[in-house]
Amino acid sequence: MTVFPAALLNGHAIGDCTKWLGPDRHIVIYYVKPDRSEVHFVTSQPEPGFTAESWSAMGDVKELRAAFADCHPQVRHVPAACPAVHKWALVDRDPLPRWCDRNVTLLGDACHPMTPYMAQGAAMAIEDAASAIRRRPCHTTRPFPHSALRSIRARGHRFCAGK
């Protein structure tokens, strides 16, 4: 993953948001500023021995380019233009035993993490919030999150532990 100045593309055109999918890998490329002066891309490809849990680990640009060497010219051009990349491992996590503590409630991938594809974590946060709102008892006088999440727990979900 990286963000870099679009000027490094040397005039090579990219779409507003381009997704390229292939066996065991993908890349998503898009501009991050309205003036199209910066490009962001994120990739996924296998690297079985990499397990570092870090958001700031540096990747090897040459390895990244090699991983996409047989792809479409645009896919090759964008990594070729970037000066540096970061990488992080995708790891499995057990569900949290509870999602709230007093007046703090976690939603989305903060409490049930998902792989970072197509905004699934954000989608889960929206779904969690909608579920909490739908299950909130209308007659309650308790503050919203606690009453709604307690209602969800009563229906068999492990949403909230405590009082």
Side-chain angles (χ1 to χ4, degrees), residues 114-147:
M114 306 182 83
T115 53
Y117 304 119
M118 311 302 252
Q120 290 179 23
M124 287 305 301
I126 293 167
E127 183 178 325
D128 291 347
S131 293
I133 289 168
R134 278 197 307 270
R135 290 183 172 92
R136 180 178 184 211
C138 296
H139 59 277
T140 185
T141 58
R142 288 177 142 325
F144 165 70
H146 191 280
S147 62

Side-chain angles (χ1 to χ4, degrees), residues 4 6 12-13 24 37 49 56-57 59 70 79 83-84 105 108-109 121 136 141 155:
F4 66 94
H12 184 81
D24 294 331
S37 63
S56 59
D70 296 332
T105 301
D109 57 358
R136 180 178 184 211
T141 58
R155 293 175 183 247

Side-chain angles (χ1 to χ4, degrees), residues 42-113:
V42 63
T43 69
S44 177
Q45 67 269 0
E47 190 175 342
F50 182 71
T51 59
E53 295 193 37
S54 169
W55 288 96
S56 59
M58 295 303 296
D60 184 331
V61 174
K62 291 177 186 172
E63 287 179 16
L64 172 70
R65 293 172 185 152
F68 291 91
D70 296 332
C71 295
H72 187 276
Q74 184 183 90
V75 175
R76 294 192 315 263
H77 190 81
V78 171
C82 79
V85 293
H86 289 87
K87 67 179 182 177
W88 65 86
L90 300 180
V91 294
D92 289 325
R93 295 277 183 249
D94 291 330
L96 293 175
R98 64 179 197 211
W99 297 0
C100 64
D101 185 11
R102 294 186 305 268
N103 64 345
V104 175
T105 301
L106 301 175
L107 298 176
D109 57 358
C111 54
H112 47 93

